[in-house]
Amino acid sequence: MPIAKGPLTLATLTASIFAATVSTHHAPQAQSAQPPHAITIDGTQFTRDGKPYEILSGEIHYARVPRDYWRDRLRKIRAMGLNTIQVYSFWNAHEPQPGVFDFSGNLDVAAFLQAAKEENLNVLMRLGPYVCAEWDAGGFPAWLFDGNKIKVRTTDPEFLAAAGAYLDRIGHEIAPYLASKGGPIIGFQIENEYGSYGPRAGRGLGPDPETTRRQAHEYMQAIKALFVHAGLGSEMFYTADGTDPDQMEMGELDGVFAAANFGPGEGKSSIAKIHARRPNQPVMVGEYWDGWFDAWGEEHQVTNTQQQLDELKWFLSNNYSFNLYMVHGGTTWGFWNGANLGDGPDDHYAPETTSYDYDAPIDEAGRPTKKYFAFRDAIAAHTGATLPDVPQNLPIVSVPDFKLEENAPLSKNLAAPQSVKTPESMESFGQGYGYILYRTVIRRGGIVAPLDASKDSGMDASQGAGHGGADSHNSHLGGDTTSNGQDANQSGGSDVPSSASGDGVHIGADGSLTPRKTFAADSLTIHSLRDFAAIYINGKLVGTLDRRMKEDTLNFAFTENSATLDILVENSGRVNFGRALPDGRAGITDSVVFNGAPLQNWKIYTLPMRAPTDISAKSAKPGAAPQPDPIVGWSKHKPDGPAFYRGHFTMDSPADTFLDVSSIQKGFVWVNGHNAGRAWSIGPTRTLYIPAPWLNKGDNEVVVFDLFPGATPPSGTAIGIGSASVPSPKTLRGTTDPIIIKPPTAHEDPGIWCEQGCGQQFASKP
């Protein structure tokens, strides 16, 4: 319902919510007096200028495509025969700090919409505030999770106020591009798949369905009210959900058109459910999953093109509107990747890769695939239109091997710490992404003394003395020898320290999985680790814990009376879908226990790693003037712990390339200051897409952060630690195609993760 334009107050918002009708069985209302070229609903069909209209759409996200390439991708979408794009906006990218907004560069949504308009494409906008999208926290800003007080995706007044401020601000950017003002935006999706989440956070309608439905509809009405307040109410609103009864009941709105999301093989059954529940509205497939995403340590996803083509032809033959998710996936650069965490006992935390190729019709580098041309032919046959010529591919080149000759230890790049009694999450220190180091002193028996930072022997102490407080079992930082002095290359494949007590599995140096071994009676438990921890005793690596593997306890032999404990934690990506979404805190969010005693008196070193010139939190403190914080301590000495590495390559003419990062064990890469994304030797991806606009004619600088020293990735070892002694320096190169490991065969189950009950909609490689 209309709300008076002006500052959003909780009283105004609350009044608007409860004034709205929450019945869900009326047909969507056609809008009167629409301007030319707006999309309207007339019974069971969309219309434009009084004529039936099919929405033939493909999904693309401007934040995942280089700004310089927006027009290239849009022209290829148009040449495929599509007339519409559906687009997510990511709240956390646009509002990195409360009240601080960014619509510059790759986030210039107005410029993207202008390009879409000029390329004659309609736009369906999905502003969230929740978007999923395999994006960190489903688009929610990290600062929302500070203290775990704000209840996201609820009618919590603090959440609605924050979401309303974001929608008001982005509404200002996109208002000139509404169809009612002659622009390309023909509709807005209200929230995103809320029916799969609901008031019970993914647990269905529960024992009191009526209360759950009422709460769900109140929330959806509240979000709709925010869109209207933001000045976006002149265009078509719609919702999008799965087609299970609970999902449709909780996700839809009275008087609002409802689209449906599903994957290959589910078209006829899903659309039958739409017809049964909404017989008087058009059919719109909000997301047809024509591919799938990759997760670290899992199989590369290759889906069945023929199955998808057959279903696409069926949509067209029935004049159903649809959106292909994705038509071009692009790249989730930086630390923006999300993670999935299912609800079943066998499900696990699964962070997504930087590549968002998605097995889409247009690949990560913007090249049309066989799937593209098959879909294009089907669309052309249906519409009878003469399609534009497909634009030529942009050049992509190889780059010869180049070495990362210089390195700088992380130990020399720690800013002044903050002191806390017990561990706290990243967000407590004003940090959203990157890494964070927790330091304290442990003593035999678990008694903890206050830490004197000037006298500790942790990661920033001398690491080459060859002594530590623990038996490191051939995985330490103190040089090229194992704990018994044996050369690591002659150790006969000693075990990597077990960190798998969470799932009862031990990972050997050869990658074999066996029942967990107990190295000693000493144990360290991290409760609620988010997400990957490297653990050091007096500067020696004693093991790792990985949330993917459901690990929380490390067993090791502690041989000193006291020692400095360092826990270096990587935020590997917040959960973007499922029950774990409400608590998006990163780092250590609960206690750390050594031999049964909770540890206290911690020093915290924040490492958001914003750029090679800004790696710590010196310039992140509210109200503080920015301070340069570059990486220091560069040398050509062989590193023995977490370190930065630097190298250079030259180009006569900048062109796209895929950077082969096989020599990086676990970390990320900057190219000329751009965060190109994560690298992890477990795969499935071993390359990072580097677009030409990031590159220079002549010299180009690459800076790598790697948790583990050495150039050779582990041989099948799932935890990402290689041998204790491997050659250096690391060597990178550029290739013309991505490098994938462990690709599925035509007869293998691709192992695709999907929400519970989504069905076996994905077949193997065609």
Side-chain angles (χ1 to χ4, degrees):
M1 73 181 270
I3 302 177
K5 190 66 177 172
L8 182 63
T9 66
L10 295 181
T12 301
L13 177 60
T14 302
S16 72
I17 296 168
F18 293 100
T21 303
V22 297
S23 171
T24 61
H25 299 287
H26 299 299
Q29 300 169 355
Q31 299 173 347
S32 60
Q34 292 297 315
H37 308 302
I39 300 294
T40 59
I41 295 173
D42 185 5
T44 59
Q45 63 186 9
F46 295 107
T47 62
R48 174 171 250 177
D49 297 335
K51 300 177 182 179
Y53 192 82
E54 292 176 66
I55 298 173
L56 309 180
S57 178
E59 187 96 10
I60 182 173
H61 305 149
Y62 54 90
R64 283 177 159 139
V65 181
R67 177 175 178 148
D68 300 70
Y69 290 170
W70 286 346
R71 203 170 289 271
D72 171 77
R73 306 310 195 249
L74 294 175
R75 287 175 178 170
K76 286 170 180 169
I77 292 169
R78 197 74 181 91
M80 188 173 150
L82 302 178
N83 56 28
T84 303
I85 55 173
Q86 186 167 256
V87 180
Y88 273 136
S89 292
F90 302 122
W91 179 6
N92 48 13
H94 284 299
E95 192 179 5
Q97 297 178 32
V100 178
F101 292 92
D102 185 359
F103 293 98
S104 64
N106 237 58
L107 299 176
D108 190 345
V109 61
F112 180 80
L113 292 170
Q114 180 63 34
K117 177 180 179 180
E118 292 172 2
E119 298 303 328
N120 197 27
L121 285 164
N122 309 314
V123 179
L124 294 167
M125 290 295 295
R126 305 208 282 176
L127 305 179
Y130 166 76
V131 298
C132 190
E134 292 71 62
W135 191 269
D136 187 87
F140 287 141
W143 47 265
L144 280 179
F145 301 111
D146 183 10
N148 200 30
K149 298 175 183 177
I150 295 178
K151 304 297 187 292
V152 299
R153 300 188 87 181
T154 73
T155 54
D156 176 357
E158 287 189 71
F159 171 71
L160 293 178
Y166 154 67
L167 289 171
D168 281 352
R169 182 62 183 84
I170 196 170
H172 175 75
E173 294 289 322
I174 67 179
Y177 298 96
L178 303 178
S180 58
K181 297 181 180 179
I185 300 175
I186 60 173
F188 291 96
Q189 181 178 301
I190 305 299
E191 236 270 357
N192 183 61
E193 295 182 331
Y194 184 70
S196 297
Y197 185 79
R200 304 183 72 251
R203 294 172 175 83
L205 290 172
D208 186 358
E210 288 305 314
T211 297
T212 302
R213 290 189 190 98
R214 175 180 56 78
Q215 292 173 342
H217 300 153
E218 288 172 358
Y219 170 72
M220 289 295 288
Q221 289 287 358
I223 299 300
K224 177 185 174 184
L226 297 181
F227 274 77
V228 175
H229 184 275
L232 308 176
S234 61
E235 310 309 321
M236 176 181 69
F237 285 162
Y238 65 104
T239 60
D241 290 284
T243 56
D244 287 347
D246 287 6
Q247 295 170 342
M248 290 191 286
E249 286 189 38
M250 289 190 292
E252 61 190 10
L253 276 167
D254 178 54
V256 174
F257 169 71
N261 300 346
F262 53 82
E266 296 186 335
K268 291 184 179 180
S269 61
S270 294
I271 289 176
K273 294 176 183 177
I274 297 172
H275 282 313
R277 186 167 181 82
R278 293 250 181 166
N280 300 315
Q281 72 157 46
V283 169
M284 172 73 187
V285 183
E287 289 184 8
Y288 180 72
W289 304 320
D290 61 351
W292 206 247
F293 53 86
D294 285 340
W296 288 112
E298 300 183 8
E299 299 286 355
H300 173 59
Q301 303 301 328
V302 180
T303 58
N304 192 322
T305 296
Q306 187 60 52
Q307 181 188 37
Q308 296 162 17
L309 177 63
D310 291 344
E311 206 149 35
L312 177 65
K313 289 179 178 178
W314 183 74
F315 295 158
L316 293 167
S317 67
N318 285 278
N319 298 317
Y320 295 148
S321 293
F322 60 82
N323 174 67
L324 301 173
Y325 190 99
M326 303 285 298
V327 66
H328 174 53
T331 310
T332 312
W333 286 297
F335 300 137
W336 288 120
N337 68 282
N340 275 308
L341 179 56
D343 304 328
D346 297 327
D347 292 321
H348 64 94
Y349 170 77
E352 289 110 17
T353 62
T354 293
S355 172
Y356 201 62
D357 179 88
Y358 210 85
D359 192 29
I362 302 172
D363 78 3
E364 184 177 11
R367 298 172 293 193
T369 64
K370 291 181 180 179
K371 182 182 293 187
Y372 174 96
F373 290 104
F375 287 6
R376 182 177 190 263
D377 289 345
I379 293 169
H382 171 72
T383 63
T386 300
L387 300 181
D389 292 337
V390 179
Q392 292 293 314
N393 291 333
L394 298 170
I396 187 164
V397 300
S398 60
V399 175
D401 289 3
F402 62 97
K403 294 181 178 181
L404 305 181
E405 299 276 6
E406 298 176 280
N407 65 81
L410 178 64
S411 62
K412 294 185 178 180
N413 286 276
L414 300 177
Q418 301 180 57
S419 298
V420 294
K421 185 173 183 180
T422 57
E424 297 180 16
S425 71
M426 275 188 180
E427 298 78 16
S428 300
F429 306 100
Q431 179 182 350
Y433 311 93
Y435 297 76
I436 186 168
L437 175 64
Y438 297 82
R439 173 173 292 169
T440 191
V441 168
I442 58 173
R443 296 182 183 275
R444 178 148 301 284
I447 301 173
V448 182
L451 177 62
D452 184 345
S454 66
K455 296 180 180 180
D456 71 72
S457 54
M459 194 180 296
D460 58 349
S462 174
Q463 299 178 358
H467 67 276
D471 181 353
S472 61
H473 295 273
N474 198 28
S475 185
H476 61 80
L477 296 179
D480 298 342
T481 58
T482 65
S483 58
N484 61 5
Q486 181 183 24
D487 186 283
N489 290 329
Q490 301 174 359
S491 64
S494 299
D495 289 331
V496 175
S498 174
S499 58
S501 63
D503 61 357
V505 174
H506 170 74
I507 304 167
D510 62 353
S512 61
L513 301 179
T514 59
R516 179 176 62 83
K517 300 176 183 178
T518 301
F519 289 108
D522 298 295
S523 67
L524 183 81
T525 298
I526 303 177
H527 294 293
S528 297
L529 169 65
R530 314 282 179 82
D531 300 295
F532 185 97
I535 299 165
Y536 308 83
I537 301 294
N538 285 347
K540 290 175 63 176
L541 178 67
V542 296
T544 65
L545 294 175
D546 186 348
R547 187 182 182 189
R548 292 181 315 116
M549 310 293 287
K550 302 183 180 180
E551 297 167 357
D552 62 5
T553 299
L554 177 70
N555 297 287
F556 58 95
F558 183 55
T559 59
E560 302 290 330
N561 288 327
S562 67
T564 297
L565 168 69
D566 281 333
I567 304 175
L568 180 58
V569 179
E570 176 192 83
N571 171 1
S572 302
R574 292 179 178 83
V575 171
N576 59 260
F577 183 91
R579 296 180 188 177
L581 179 73
D583 184 359
R585 292 174 296 167
I588 297 176
T589 64
D590 203 328
S591 61
V592 178
V593 176
F594 176 60
N595 288 342
L599 298 178
Q600 297 182 346
N601 303 319
W602 293 85
K603 298 292 185 182
I604 309 300
Y605 300 82
T606 54
L607 295 160
M609 308 281 198
R610 286 178 292 270
T613 56
D614 188 12
I615 62 168
S616 77
K618 289 181 180 177
S619 58
K621 298 175 183 178
Q627 302 178 46
D629 186 27
I631 299 169
V632 298
W634 291 106
S635 75
K636 293 189 177 182
H637 298 299
K638 182 179 177 180
D640 57 4
F644 302 95
Y645 300 80
R646 184 165 63 185
H648 299 260
F649 67 91
T650 61
M651 299 190 92
D652 293 333
S653 179
D656 293 359
T657 193
F658 284 91
L659 190 65
D660 179 357
V661 293
S662 297
S663 66
I664 300 171
Q665 298 202 52
K666 183 163 179 55
F668 67 97
V669 179
W670 283 298
V671 177
N672 292 330
H674 299 273
N675 190 330
R678 304 184 193 270
W680 197 356
S681 57
I682 62 174
T685 58
R686 285 283 183 87
T687 45
L688 292 170
Y689 171 61
I690 310 299
W694 290 9
L695 301 174
N696 303 320
K697 181 179 180 180
D699 182 67
N700 293 273
E701 180 185 74
V702 175
V703 176
V704 167
F705 177 71
D706 198 340
L707 279 171
F708 307 113
T712 303
S715 177
T717 303
I719 61 174
I721 303 177
S723 303
S725 178
V726 290
S728 62
K730 298 174 184 289
T731 300
L732 307 184
R733 65 188 178 105
T735 70
T736 57
D737 289 290
I739 298 173
I740 304 295
I741 62 172
K742 298 188 299 185
T745 68
H747 304 291
E748 287 180 333
D749 180 355
I752 293 171
W753 183 94
C754 56
E755 63 183 274
Q756 191 171 6
C758 71
Q760 300 298 319
Q761 67 264 41
F762 292 102
S764 306
K765 182 178 179 180

